[in-house]
Structure formats: structure tokens, C-alpha cells
Amino acid sequence: MTITDFPTTASGVRSPIPDLHAPSPGERALAAARFQLAEASRFLGLDDGMHHMLATPRRSLTVSVPVRREDGRLEVVQGHRVQHNLSRGPAKGGIRFHPATDLAEVTALAMWMTWKCALVGIPYGGAKGGVAVDPAALTPRELERVTRRYVNEILPLIGPEKDIPAPDVGTDEQTMAWIMDTYSANAGYSVPGVVTGKPTALGGSLGRAGATSRGVQIAALQALTRSPEGATVAVQGFGKVGALAAQYLADAGCRVVAVSDAGGAVVRSSGLDVAALRAHAAETGSVHGYRDADPLSRDELLELDVDVLVPAALEGVITADNAPRVRARLVVEGANGPTTPEADLILAGNGATVVPDILANAGGVIVSYLEWVQNTQAYSWSAGEVEVKLRDLMENAYRAVAELAAERGLTLRQAAHAIGVGRVAEAHRMRGLYP
């Protein structure tokens, strides 16, 4: 495979960035994902046909999901499932419930999942699903109805050998239990391997619940150029990923000084008691109002003078507008696509290191793979064994990315995409094109 340098203009600036000011966050995320693929394709010397194939989802399904509300009203929401690429194995990717979810966002997330799986060396292609609904606005029974009806609509696409969903924003192990049960009821027998991120009582893996957060911690500690003792950390998005990432980083000796969620942000320069803050958030629903810290605006958190910034919420939070004010020397992406390509250029120009999402948050899909393997073998590993396997895969992937970046003068994101895209392209070439 021929490798060439990333293209630059005469002034030394990388190739022009496409218009990233699309009307919806999903469309902006998809523009960013396509831009990253285009850069990697040029770096790898891929021809136009291969690039177009990699840019085009294998399958996209949009469905209507009717839900009967408790008061008798019937509402219809939209759901999606996108299988981006299957060259390296069955599709793998989460399902998110969020009111802003649309087909463009799901397509971008599926593409990023393809590169992520290839980068960390697990035999999956990328997929993603979503329903445009606010789970907080639904009762548990309404949420179950939405989940089961959505699964019935996408049933032809999913299966333990075809496409294996997992939790994402707005979904959890209970959602996966409903999906498993719905699929199993249609199959006529129990099929635990159809989803990952299940409760352990249904075949879920030990260590899965905090796997993405553990991966963020591993990536951050690998990228730190100093001892973690006392290293200051700010976490944007104190949810499923961010809260545990903050806890794991604190456990490693870092000083978590600020966190935020949808309800607000808090800061304490001497360091937050992360365990107490998690308890407060679990009780009240937000970090807002935590007494042992000062209030902070969510925008200010991104611009704090800290050693490590962990954006762990949604896409597109670090932009060309605020990137010049980001003072963290290390940005570890716990969320998918939190940094726009424009912001990437600014951060790199200011000397910041960004550990990209397809590497930093890969812990979740790694342990999902381990769960799937356990299900297919009717076997289980201890939490310690899962931890060792997770750490090995994360550290090996980080090492490969860092070595390529150093060797070719690339950012970590450029190197990660070059490796991930290159492995998928190689698999496609080896399989050939079915006539």
C-alpha cells in the first residue's frame, strides 16, 4: 500500500476543510467524518473508487416508531439503523435515544465505529442506531414500548452474526435486555449474543459498564507527558462515560477540578471529591447545586487552564469559535466527534495534543467484543481477565498510533484514521468485489 503525505497548500496548511456549518449537528458530524476519511484516503493513496466505497454506508434503514403514551395518545418518532461497512466482520455499534438524533448523525457515528473497530484490532464492521426521542420525557413503560417496537422494525438487520447493538447515549443495560428479549421472542429461543452491554444476569460481561470510561483513563495516562499525580482534569459531560472517567482518573492520582453536565458545571481548584459528586448527581439528576464546589458556566469549563480536558458528551463541542481559548495541553475525546476539523487545526497549531475519539473511547467496543465472544462460547471471564484484555488492546492501539504519528509527523487523529481506514481498505481488497 502506497503511503503519501497529507496534502498541504503552498502555505503549508492542510487541504481545505468542507463547509461544516450545516443546519443540524448530525449533518455537521457527517461532514467532519467525511473530511477525516478524505484526508486518510489521500494519505494512504486510495483511488477514487475505494474512497467512494468507504464513504458510502452498506445499508441504511429509517423506520417509523409509534408509541402509545400513558394518557392514550399515539405519537410517532423516527428511528434509524446504519451499517457502514462489513468488510472485517459483522456490524457493531450502539443505539442512542436522543431528540436530536437523525440519519446524518447515525451515519457519521457508524463510520467512526468502522475505523474504531479496525484500529483496535477487533473483527467488526461499524454500525449505529438511534431513535429521535427524549428518554427522560418517557415513563419506563413508554420507553420499553419504544424500544421493542424499534427493534421489531430493524429486526431483519440485527443478529449475533450480522449486527450487534450496544448501549449509547440515552440507553443502558435495561434497554439491551429489552432488545435481547424482543429478538429472542421472535427467534423462539434465547439469543444473548444479539446485543452487548446487557445485565450480567443475562450474559453481560463483567467490566462492561465502565469499559468506555476505563479506556479513556488508559488513553489519557498513555498520552500524559508527566506523572498523573496532581495532574489537573476537567470533564465536560458528567454522564455515563464522563462520571466514571473522572473517577478512574482521580483514582490514578489526577486532580479533577471541574465537571459539567446538561444542568450546569462546578469547579474546585483544590480538587473535587468525585465519589461525593457522583452521589449528588445520582440523587438530584445533575452536578448543579453541589455544595462543595463553585458554580461555573459550561462554556467556561472547556477553556480552563488544566492539564487534561475530557469532552465526554456529544459531538461538535470544541469548534473554531472556542478552540483558540482551549488551554488544556491534552484533550482526550470521551465522546464521539467532540472536536470539529476546524478546531483540530487550531488546537494543533497551539501545541495541544488530541487523543481522538476512535482511540480514546474504544474501551466500550473492546469489552463489547469480549462479551460477544463469551456469549458465543457460553463462557465467562473474571473482571480481572477482562481488565487485562482491555488494557492490552488499548495500549497496543495507542502505541501503534503514537509510533506512526511520530514517524510521519502526523497528529494522533491523522495517524489513527490512517491505520483504521487502511485496515478496512486492505480487508476489502482481499475479499474482492462480488460481481
Side-chain angles (χ1 to χ4, degrees):
M1 183 176 294
T2 302
I3 297 181
T4 58
D5 289 335
F6 275 88
T8 60
T9 65
S11 63
V13 178
R14 277 161 46 197
S15 53
I17 294 175
D19 179 17
L20 298 175
H21 302 288
S24 80
E27 289 168 334
R28 292 193 291 273
L30 184 55
R34 287 172 172 163
F35 171 73
Q36 292 160 358
L37 171 60
E39 280 206 315
S41 295
R42 286 191 292 269
F43 178 77
L44 295 162
L46 303 182
D47 60 43
D48 289 345
M50 178 65 77
H51 175 213
H52 185 68
M53 190 277 296
L54 295 176
T56 306
R58 179 72 175 268
R59 298 187 185 96
S60 299
L61 177 65
T62 295
V63 298
S64 294
V65 183
V67 55
R68 180 74 63 186
R69 301 300 296 265
E70 300 291 2
D71 61 5
R73 288 179 297 122
L74 179 66
E75 295 182 1
V76 179
V77 296
Q78 200 167 60
H80 312 278
R81 186 68 180 176
V82 173
Q83 295 174 351
H84 172 252
N85 189 281
L86 307 175
S87 295
R88 299 185 71 257
K92 187 79 184 78
I95 291 174
R96 64 173 48 184
F97 288 178
H98 191 277
T101 293
D102 59 18
L103 182 60
E105 177 191 58
V106 173
T107 302
L109 294 167
M111 187 181 298
W112 282 324
M113 183 62 76
T114 298
W115 319 139
K116 185 184 303 183
C117 293
L119 175 62
V120 298
I122 55 179
Y124 284 142
K128 207 72 175 185
V131 179
V133 67
D134 181 3
L138 300 177
T139 69
R141 290 200 302 177
E142 290 169 342
L143 195 57
E144 181 176 358
R145 291 177 198 140
V146 168
T147 302
R148 291 185 183 276
R149 185 56 185 257
Y150 168 69
V151 173
N152 268 300
E153 296 296 334
I154 67 168
L155 205 61
L157 293 189
I158 63 173
E161 296 167 340
K162 297 190 296 185
D163 183 349
I164 307 103
D168 199 84
V169 174
T171 59
D172 56 20
E173 64 177 23
Q174 177 61 74
T175 318
M176 297 306 107
W178 289 330
I179 294 174
M180 175 197 160
D181 182 69
T182 306
Y183 184 91
S184 298
N186 279 272
Y189 55 92
S190 185
V191 189
V194 67
V195 292
T196 58
K198 305 178 295 295
T200 54
L202 297 178
S205 176
L206 296 172
R208 174 61 183 89
T212 303
S213 307
R214 181 67 74 186
V216 169
Q217 181 222 37
I218 293 168
L221 297 182
Q222 289 285 300
L224 267 176
T225 56
R226 50 158 291 176
S227 165
E229 290 295 329
T232 53
V233 178
V235 178
Q236 182 260 346
F238 199 68
K240 186 160 47 180
V241 173
L244 275 176
Q247 186 67 68
Y248 293 150
L249 288 166
D251 292 345
C254 296
R255 178 158 48 99
V256 179
V257 298
V259 302
S260 68
D261 61 16
V266 294
V267 61
R268 185 180 180 184
S269 59
S270 60
L272 296 163
D273 182 336
V274 178
L277 183 55
R278 288 174 60 207
H280 170 85
E283 181 180 350
T284 66
S286 173
V287 300
H288 177 73
Y290 180 62
R291 293 182 178 179
D292 292 331
D294 297 319
L296 182 75
S297 80
R298 289 179 292 171
D299 291 339
E300 285 178 305
L301 179 137
L302 295 171
E303 301 166 14
L304 290 176
D305 187 6
V306 292
D307 296 308
V308 184
L309 172 63
V310 180
L314 295 172
E315 307 93 60
V317 297
I318 302 178
T319 67
D321 292 333
N322 61 16
R325 299 188 297 276
V326 172
R327 289 184 283 174
R329 294 296 85 195
L330 177 62
V331 178
V332 183
E333 295 185 332
N336 292 306
T339 309
T340 69
E342 295 166 314
D344 247 351
L345 282 174
I346 294 168
L347 293 176
N350 290 341
T353 297
V354 178
V355 184
D357 47 4
I358 65 170
L359 174 58
N361 68 27
V365 74
I366 289 173
V367 180
S368 279
Y369 166 66
L370 298 176
E371 179 178 331
W372 178 74
V373 170
Q374 292 171 83
N375 292 159
T376 58
Q377 295 180 347
Y379 185 73
S380 63
W381 290 308
S382 69
E385 290 172 307
V386 171
E387 170 88 14
V388 168
K389 296 176 192 296
L390 167 62
R391 185 171 297 277
D392 284 347
L393 286 168
M394 283 293 300
E395 291 182 351
N396 288 341
Y398 184 88
R399 192 176 305 113
V401 169
E403 288 175 356
L404 179 61
E407 176 186 334
R408 301 303 298 269
L410 308 177
T411 66
L412 294 182
R413 191 186 310 280
Q414 290 171 334
H417 278 84
I419 293 171
V421 172
R423 288 174 178 172
V424 176
E426 181 182 9
H428 182 75
R429 283 200 189 96
M430 294 180 70
R431 289 180 61 150
L433 185 64
Y434 188 73

